[in-house]
Amino acid sequence: MAPDIGAAEIGERGIARPGSGRASIGRGDGAAEAEAGAHPCSPPAWTRRRRLRGVVTAALRPFVPRGLLARALLIILVPLVVTQGIALQLFYGTHLDVISRRLAGGVAGDIGMVTEVLSRQPDQEEWGWIFREAAWRLDLSLAFEAGATLGPPASRPASLPLLPLEEDLDQAIRERVRLPFDTDWQSDPRSVIIRIGMPDGVLSVEAPRKRLFSGTLYLFVIWLVGASLLLFGVAALFMKNQVRALRRLAAAAEAFGKGRETGPIKPEGASEVRQAGAAFNGMRANIRRFVTQRTELLAGISHDLRTPLTRLRLGLAMLPRGAEEDAAAMTQDVEEMERMIASYLAFARGEVLEAPESTDLVALVRDMVSRLPAEGSQVVVHEVPPSLTLPLRADALRRCLGNLLDNALRHAGFVAVSVRPTPGWAEVLVDDNGPGIPAPAREGAFKPFASFSAGGTGLGLAIARDIARAHGGEIALEESPMGGLRAVVRLPM
């Protein structure tokens, strides 16, 4: 019987193998073995790469500035420094190194030639013409001390630590002269004194520095550093103008968020920044128009709703004498409807159109507490500074604090109001000794129509938070030291 060729091919390709217990479709033997050898708990490669990026980012975060201007200047400065560093490395590694070795080799060769001629001329009286020729033709000043000996080289600091001139000259003299020597770069600022130890004395050679130093080095360094500083200064000035436009846009947005009227901003800077400024002006105009239209609409609704309520009041007043009890109950219902309508309209009005003015917050709080009725609960003012003036919408803030005081008086017998300044903020604290609100339910108390008492509309805290946020502040509910609830109103200074 012929063998099953199809089955054999399938087994060779690794698609299905008898006895393997599973099918391995589209995988070779290497992939299957790699998968079998992988640890079942090891994370995938993309997770390890993400962790590595997170570690690198966390390590670099303290060294990266947060401001846009500083980051932009860093983006400009790093490539500039790298480019200049490469240019300096190329210059020092090629041009300066080659020139320095050649100049040092020339001076060392001249000195070696002079020492060789002097050693071959035993009559020292004939050395005068050699010294004159060296001074004229080689620009070397020579002096010989007969019978002197050259001691060990003195330890001197490097005269030009950033340049390879001293090392190149020492190496060239060591190769071309092959006699004991000592180089002095410190004694004379215009020349280098080289002392050569000869068999019968010490030869002093004074070589001018211009033979060892190229003046183009200063020009190169000045051009390199000057051009870098100039480019960086221009880039910094340009980026500062761009960032200034963004800062003005951010300040205008912050002022608008706090309800302060600053007028439209002038778009300036790059085209993208101008586009953002124009979009902000358009958004600001649309929001103002929307608030105005909504306020006018709500004013009309208020008039339309209160007209039939007024007629009902008149109808109730015209009822016969036998219906006083029914008329009183209906009048109470009408008053309740008017109060609810006023609360709904105040909530729907949202940000009021009152312009902020400099107001003494302490005086405003004292005035509000003095106007509260004396019956029932007791309200006191304590821990307040003499005065605290900041831009406020006085009427709106009165409504905000009035809602907080009404809620506190409805549930507590004693209420304490205090004002305290904090860095950048002014806080008004309303504490009571009532039952309070559980911590998980405090944030939900600010939702519209969330009432924790019978007869309430559930809009007092919502309206108070809207007014505080229209000032650029916030309201939070906390545990009171008196055992009840504390309402904290934070207003920007």
Side-chain angles (χ1 to χ4, degrees):
M1 185 174 181
D4 191 351
I5 299 176
E9 291 179 356
I10 293 175
E12 291 175 357
R13 295 176 184 177
I15 297 177
R17 295 182 181 178
S20 62
R22 62 185 179 94
S24 179
I25 302 176
R27 295 175 180 262
D29 295 342
E33 292 175 359
E35 181 179 355
H39 196 278
C41 298
S42 61
W46 64 269
T47 304
R48 294 194 295 271
R49 289 194 297 269
R50 177 176 294 179
R51 290 177 180 176
L52 180 61
R53 287 196 299 268
V55 172
V56 173
T57 303
L60 295 179
R61 185 177 292 114
F63 304 98
V64 178
R66 296 183 178 273
L68 176 61
L69 178 59
R71 291 191 177 188
L73 294 180
L74 185 64
I75 293 173
I76 297 172
L77 183 61
V78 169
L80 186 62
V81 171
V82 172
T83 304
Q84 303 297 0
I86 294 174
L88 287 174
Q89 179 62 31
L90 293 176
F91 179 78
Y92 277 107
T94 57
H95 180 70
L96 179 61
D97 192 30
V98 171
I99 290 179
S100 176
R101 287 201 305 268
R102 289 179 180 177
L103 294 176
V107 173
D110 294 343
I111 296 174
M113 184 64 185
V114 170
T115 58
E116 185 66 22
V117 172
L118 293 177
S119 64
R120 291 178 180 271
Q121 181 65 33
D123 188 2
Q124 296 186 3
E125 295 180 356
E126 299 294 331
W127 286 7
W129 71 271
I130 298 177
F131 288 0
R132 291 191 298 270
E133 291 294 324
W136 176 44
R137 300 181 186 276
L138 303 179
D139 200 12
L140 296 176
S141 298
L142 303 178
F144 184 75
E145 301 178 30
T149 58
L150 182 66
S155 177
R156 303 182 184 92
S159 176
L160 301 171
L162 299 179
L163 301 178
L165 304 180
E166 301 180 28
E167 293 82 358
D168 291 342
L169 180 60
D170 292 345
Q171 181 66 24
I173 294 176
R174 194 175 296 112
E175 293 176 355
R176 289 169 173 79
V177 179
R178 296 183 180 181
L179 291 173
F181 68 93
D182 181 24
T183 57
D184 182 6
W185 292 74
Q186 307 289 337
S187 300
D188 193 346
R190 294 180 298 178
S191 61
V192 180
I193 301 174
I194 305 165
R195 305 179 74 239
I196 308 295
M198 300 184 68
D200 51 356
V202 175
L203 177 65
S204 297
V205 182
E206 186 175 338
R209 294 200 181 202
K210 63 182 181 181
R211 291 198 57 186
L212 297 167
F213 185 76
S214 176
T216 57
L217 175 64
Y218 288 122
L219 296 177
F220 177 79
V221 174
I222 291 174
W223 169 257
L224 197 66
V225 176
S228 302
L229 293 177
L230 179 62
L231 292 176
F232 183 74
V234 172
L237 181 61
F238 176 77
M239 290 304 305
K240 184 177 181 180
N241 292 334
Q242 302 303 314
V243 173
R244 181 174 59 186
L246 291 176
R247 286 175 177 171
R248 289 186 58 187
L249 178 60
E254 182 180 4
F256 181 72
K258 294 180 179 179
R260 300 172 183 173
E261 182 60 36
T262 58
I265 64 173
K266 178 183 177 181
E268 59 181 1
S271 58
E272 292 81 2
V273 182
R274 291 174 180 268
Q275 184 178 0
F280 172 78
N281 289 335
M283 178 196 68
R284 175 184 170 280
N286 292 335
I287 292 176
R288 289 292 183 185
R289 182 170 59 253
F290 171 74
V291 172
T292 302
Q293 292 176 353
R294 188 178 65 172
T295 304
E296 294 175 353
L297 176 64
L298 293 176
I301 294 175
S302 175
H303 179 269
D304 294 341
L305 289 177
R306 284 173 176 169
T307 299
L309 290 177
T310 302
R311 289 199 299 265
L312 287 175
R313 277 180 172 274
L314 292 175
L316 292 174
M318 300 294 294
L319 289 177
R321 292 184 177 181
E324 286 85 356
E325 296 183 359
D326 295 337
M330 296 176 66
T331 301
Q332 186 177 1
D333 292 339
V334 170
E335 291 176 353
E336 180 68 17
M337 291 176 63
E338 288 181 344
R339 187 181 63 83
M340 293 175 64
I341 290 173
S343 299
Y344 297 155
L345 293 178
F347 172 73
R349 187 177 298 115
E351 181 184 356
V352 293
L353 299 179
E354 180 187 1
E357 297 180 355
S358 295
T359 307
D360 188 354
L361 180 61
V362 175
L364 186 145
V365 170
R366 290 186 181 278
D367 181 68
M368 287 197 62
V369 173
S370 65
R371 294 174 181 269
L372 293 175
E375 303 89 28
S377 302
Q378 182 181 2
V379 182
V380 296
V381 178
H382 67 91
E383 295 183 4
V384 296
S387 63
L388 188 60
T389 303
L390 59 154
L392 298 173
R393 296 183 176 92
D395 293 340
L397 187 61
R398 288 177 182 274
R399 185 181 303 113
C400 170
L401 298 179
N403 290 346
L404 297 179
L405 291 173
D406 289 343
N407 289 339
L409 292 173
R410 187 178 299 114
H411 300 92
F414 184 80
V415 179
V417 184
S418 58
V419 179
R420 65 183 182 188
T422 59
W425 300 90
E427 294 183 348
V428 180
L429 284 70
V430 180
D431 294 290
D432 62 62
N433 61 350
I437 299 177
R442 288 172 186 169
E443 187 62 27
F446 290 102
K447 295 181 180 180
F449 310 109
S451 178
F452 291 87
S453 62
T457 60
L459 294 175
L461 290 177
I463 294 173
R465 171 169 277 188
D466 283 349
I467 294 174
R469 288 180 174 177
H471 283 80
E474 186 57 272
I475 293 182
L477 299 179
E478 303 174 356
E479 186 76 20
S480 174
M482 299 168 56
L485 187 67
R486 164 178 284 185
V488 182
V489 183
R490 301 181 74 235
L491 302 171
M493 296 287 285

